[in-house]
Amino acid sequence: MERMSGKVAVCGMVLAAVALGAAGCFLGTKEEAKPPAQPIVFLIPAGPGGGNDLTVRALIPGMRQALGQELIAENKPAGKGAVAAAEIMNGRPEDNKLYFNSQTVLLMPYGGMPDVKLERFQPVAQVVEDMGAIIVRQDAPYDTLPEFIAAAKRRGGKIRVAHNGVGSLWHLAAIRFSQAAGVDFKYCAYTSGGRQMLGALVDGEVEVCVISPSESKPFIEAKKVKVLAVMSDRRHTVVPNVPTCREVGLDTVFNVWRGVFTTAGVSEERLNALDAAVRQAVATEEFQAFARNNGLPVKFRGHEEFKRIVYEQREMYAKLFGEIDK
Amino acid sequence: MSFEFYTAGWQLFTLPVLAYMLLGTVIGIIIGALPGLTAMMAVSVLVPLTYTLSPTAGIIMLLGVYCGANYGGSISATLVNIPGTPSAVMTTMDGYPLGQKGKAGLAIGTATVASGLGGIFSVVTMAMFAPLIANIALKFTSLEIFAIALFGVTIMGYISPGSVLKGLISGVFGLLIGCIGFDPTTAVPRFTFGEQNLLSGVQFVAAMIGLFGLAEILLASEKIKDLQTRPELFKMQNPLECLKYLRTLWGNLLRSSVIGVIVGAVPGTGGTIAAIVGYAVQKKVSKNPEGMGKGAVEGIAAPEAANNACCGGALTTLLSLGIPGDAVTAILIGAFVLHGLTPGPMLFESNPDLVSAIFIGMFLIQMLIIALGLNFAQYFAKLLLVPRPILNTIILALCVVGTYGVQNSIFDIGTMIVFAVLGYVMAKASIPRAPIVLALILGPVMEENLRRWLSLAEGHVLESLAGAFTTNPIAMAILAITALTLVLPLFQKSGRLNEGMAEHIVGGKK
């Protein structure tokens, strides 16, 4: 009898191991299966758990309902997002692939990915409008932006600022700010992103970060850092008491949009349907609650307006980079 | 740290999490017991499969695999004289002779209890020290992180079993591979040859699965033959007999656990070294050194306590500094990243409940090891009789699916295969593979932080370095230790530890 139960136990364990593997295979490959209705693949150029990933996953239920079609999120962080971008650019419009990104998509050509061409993307709708903010350590000896700028100028020498890689979003935001405020910055790259930049701010390696209040939310709530001003024409939901730069007399804006794209050449009819689906998904109570919890400022814009903004910004970046190179 | 911090993790222990913890520990023990399948391989293959689980369930399950495998190696070490995992190499010294005397039950019972107690000791140390170290580490600047990474890279050549030169070859090769992808400060692509999949570097998990998963299958399929065993020895009578010896083992267990925790906490060293040092020290202090190597209970308890205590030590470094303490925790980083978490001091701020859950989970896993080991060791042993082709096929499938799953990339499967061939060649040339893993993790960390520090120094490198003696004393102390590690061996005829180790390992593999 004991021998028998031994065998059973061994079989059970082997089965458990196989079942785990099978479960893994199933869950892992489910996303690639193609049922007749041909689901839309929603590419996320980042790994799971980040802001882009969570936003897409929050959008999907609402869009699924609006389109009556299956949507599948697929994380493609490979090559710092270049692989996902190439999949959209080199695809056909009828592949039915969506893509979610911020202005990073405009910046990729400046950051070592010259092949990324905006013309190959069709903007579908904007979902989020975030912004840069001037953030310093909680114990910094200034509480307002003018005080900070005055202190920086008085000190002479360069103020150390963190950014998330040459030519990346927060690098540009910092450049914008430094030009407007007339403060000289020493730029330091923290390529892992926001967490690492803010960590460097907390341990004193840099003196200021220009980054979004949404990304800094845990640090702001833990009272490790404070926001001096936001670079936008309106205040930010995470720090409603913090003034905009304009309110304190500095004319600079750095809005950060995040939105949905597809491959260029998609039919007008399809584009309108997708645009409407994003609008409907953004309006759902579930998405609004998600945005509130994550400190994400929601701003919907349809494809025409979104496209206009995207191309306007591209001009601005071209000018900025032209100035940096000089 | 408050009491609430330590208990906060309890709420994460839902039924599924407990189930995955049990599953992970069982898988770990099985993998550990099967010769050729290591903790490193099991964890690297399973990391991507935890993607669909919650972060807590995924990480706790992998910790179960990690600790379970470190223990499970003792089963095959005792029964067939083959360490199931490299860290069980010293357990063959006394475990096998004791098993041959018909006392396999006593041998495995001792290994179980020693592993569990060593593990528990390490968890307690981890829970005490990790938050303290993390608190200090929060203030670490680029210079400190560079110093720690450099120390890890330096030590890795010396600690690999066998030839220092081969260890260094492997490590330097890993550093070179770590250079592939975007330059960390200027965003210029390096060594990518226009391949966009390489812009963010070689996918780490894919490389690991190749080096340790697929390569092991290649190696194993070369020599498919059933193990020479005497099934009558597999009957394990009275594993509880070891409790009679426990009275005489307390000092041994405590000493070996301390050794394990320290060895584990040093970046670059792992369970194998811990076991070797634990055994060597026990032999020095033993009242009956001649008896060791001939089936002494103390010779089983020492390495087993040390290699399991190593888990807690390595995890302390990972959680508090974000730098892996050994090769398995290096792979565990992948599991954190997969769930959008960065191990390191910030984790204590951003996810204190997860950190607390890791402490509690590690503790429970050690209890599970004791319970499972004492009750079911003989059934785990039966797995030694499962035909290898069946096992290899399952693992092969997991390697491919797991690699693809990390970032939905076919390219990564190619990476995995390239690294499998590399791993195979390295194994044939007896070049250790673990230094590659550590270099691949530590290299980019080292480069990024050094470059940033240099750029902050703005050309005044020597002045900044001199200034660092007052502003960054910790970094300078670590750099001084690193310099000593490099210089001291030049004055000795040969690395004592290394020589002893090589001898033991060659002996143990027979």
Side-chain angles (χ1 to χ4, degrees), chain A residues 48 75 79 166 189 191 196 203 205, chain B residues 140-142 185 200 338 408 452:
Chain A
N75 294 91
V166 172
T191 42
Q196 204 190 5
D203 67 32
E205 194 163 272
Chain B
F140 277 10
T141 62
S142 301
T185 57
S200 44
L338 212 56
N408 296 312
R452 192 182 303 126

Side-chain angles (χ1 to χ4, degrees), chain A residues 91-161:
Chain A
R92 298 165 307 162
E94 57 272 27
D95 289 343
N96 243 331
K97 281 185 179 154
L98 297 178
Y99 174 77
F100 191 85
N101 208 342
S102 62
Q103 43 267 66
T104 301
V105 73
L106 299 178
L107 297 171
M108 284 159 111
Y110 302 104
M113 302 176 200
D115 301 335
V116 176
K117 298 262 186 300
L118 184 59
E119 285 71 19
R120 296 292 305 144
F121 293 87
Q122 169 63 51
V124 173
Q126 180 181 334
V127 177
V128 173
E129 186 159 87
D130 207 343
M131 57 192 76
I134 320 303
I135 299 182
V136 295
R137 258 159 73 124
Q138 187 73 29
D139 58 5
Y142 19 75
D143 289 314
T144 66
L145 192 62
E147 280 172 42
F148 167 72
I149 296 173
K153 285 182 175 163
R154 218 176 20 248
R155 199 185 68 177
K158 289 177 172 172
I159 298 286
R160 300 188 303 275
V161 63

Side-chain angles (χ1 to χ4, degrees), chain A residues 78-80 83, chain B residues 179-182 189-203 411 415:
Chain A
K80 297 227 161 169
V83 173
Chain B
C179 290
I180 295 175
F182 274 128
R190 301 184 300 199
F191 311 116
T192 59
F193 303 101
E195 175 54 62
Q196 57 180 9
N197 279 293
L198 287 176
L199 284 176
S200 44
V202 168
Q203 219 292 323
F411 183 86
T415 306

Side-chain angles (χ1 to χ4, degrees), chain B residues 214-234:
Chain B
L214 193 54
E216 285 298 341
I217 296 178
L218 292 177
L219 290 165
S221 53
E222 270 185 347
K223 43 182 180 196
I224 288 183
K225 60 170 195 268
D226 286 326
L227 293 162
Q228 301 296 312
T229 50
R230 290 157 59 195
E232 75 273 10
L233 290 178
F234 277 44

Side-chain angles (χ1 to χ4, degrees), chain B residues 64-94:
Chain B
V65 175
Y66 175 32
C67 299
N70 251 353
Y71 155 69
S74 64
I75 295 176
S76 49
T78 302
L79 296 177
V80 291
N81 202 20
I82 300 172
T85 51
S87 61
V89 61
M90 302 314 290
T91 314
T92 55
M93 306 282 286
D94 286 280

Side-chain angles (χ1 to χ4, degrees), chain A residues 9 56 66 74 77 81 86 100 133 147 163 175 188-189 192 194 209 230 233 252 287 307 319 321:
Chain A
V56 169
E74 203 173 297
F100 191 85
E147 280 172 42
H163 66 77
I175 292 170
C188 304
S192 311
C209 278
V230 296
D233 29 28
T252 182
F287 187 83
K307 185 169 181 176
K319 233 171 82 188
F321 275 105

Side-chain angles (χ1 to χ4, degrees), chain A residues 132-136 144-150 152-153 159 161 169-185 187 208-211 228-231 244-245 248 250-254 320:
Chain A
I134 320 303
I135 299 182
V136 295
T144 66
L145 192 62
E147 280 172 42
F148 167 72
I149 296 173
K153 285 182 175 163
I159 298 286
V161 63
L169 200 55
W170 304 124
H171 186 200
L172 280 221
I175 292 170
R176 279 284 267 195
F177 174 73
S178 107
Q179 288 177 344
V183 175
D184 247 358
F185 275 151
Y187 298 93
V208 60
C209 278
V210 183
I211 190 172
L228 297 180
V230 296
M231 296 172 74
T244 67
C245 284
V248 292
L250 187 70
D251 187 22
T252 182
V253 167
F254 194 88
L320 260 183

